[in-house]
Amino acid sequence: EKLIKVPNLTETVSLPLVKNLDNCSMAGCSNLKEIVVPNSVERVGYAAFAFCRILNTINFEGNRLDFFAPGCFFGSLCIEDVHISTVKYKIKNGYIIDINENIFFCINNVENEEINLDDGIYIYPYAFYGKLAVNELYINIAKVGAFAFENCKIKSVFLEDKVRDID
């Protein structure tokens, strides 16, 4: 009951009723624009949606999703429309967050003079991969995951009092 790999042939995919999306299951699908993830899916593996260059919309149906592997979206820079509402994950302020308000993924590309990150206690690995272009980034979250800001354009980073650990 797991999806191993989706062929790179289509713009829109409605996935079959599987429990798990394996690591890299849709990685590099350069034609993929939209995906519908059925309610049967409980786990999304590492890099499952990575480097889907024109992927714009992801619709997670239902509420069974219980686990996103960090980095499951990295390199998919056109994602701007995500629908998800589960016990563990939701959307808040343009981010997918977990039940502890930790930032899992930045949905929209952000171009600002400055951005302040101070909700939650953790920024997951690859959360902002390529999604930021800012002059000043203020971080006041206890832990920052590896590669959280990889391929971002940031002129200055300010680490505030809560920061305790950077991978």
Side-chain angles (χ1 to χ4, degrees), residues 109-166:
N109 293 325
V110 178
E111 293 184 27
N112 278 337
E113 189 65 29
E114 71 178 52
I115 187 169
N116 294 290
L117 301 173
D118 56 10
D119 286 337
I121 55 171
Y122 184 48
I123 299 173
Y124 281 89
Y126 303 102
F128 290 88
Y129 186 99
K131 296 290 229 171
L132 292 183
V134 297
N135 285 334
E136 297 177 348
L137 173 61
Y138 294 86
I139 301 173
N140 201 17
I141 294 177
K143 184 172 181 177
V144 179
F147 309 107
F149 300 98
E150 183 81 12
N151 286 348
C152 291
K153 296 175 183 166
I154 304 168
K155 289 187 179 177
S156 299
V157 176
F158 300 92
L159 303 176
E160 306 285 327
D161 295 338
K162 288 185 195 174
V163 177
R164 296 288 178 254
D165 189 10
I166 299 175

Side-chain angles (χ1 to χ4, degrees), residues 45-59:
Y46 172 77
F49 303 99
F51 297 105
C52 294
R53 299 283 184 205
I54 61 173
L55 179 60
N56 179 268
T57 303
I58 304 173
N59 185 7

Side-chain angles (χ1 to χ4, degrees), residues 20-34:
N20 301 312
L21 302 181
D22 250 12
N23 296 345
C24 303
S25 56
M26 284 156 279
C29 287
S30 58
N31 296 321
L32 188 60
K33 290 183 180 178
E34 182 176 350

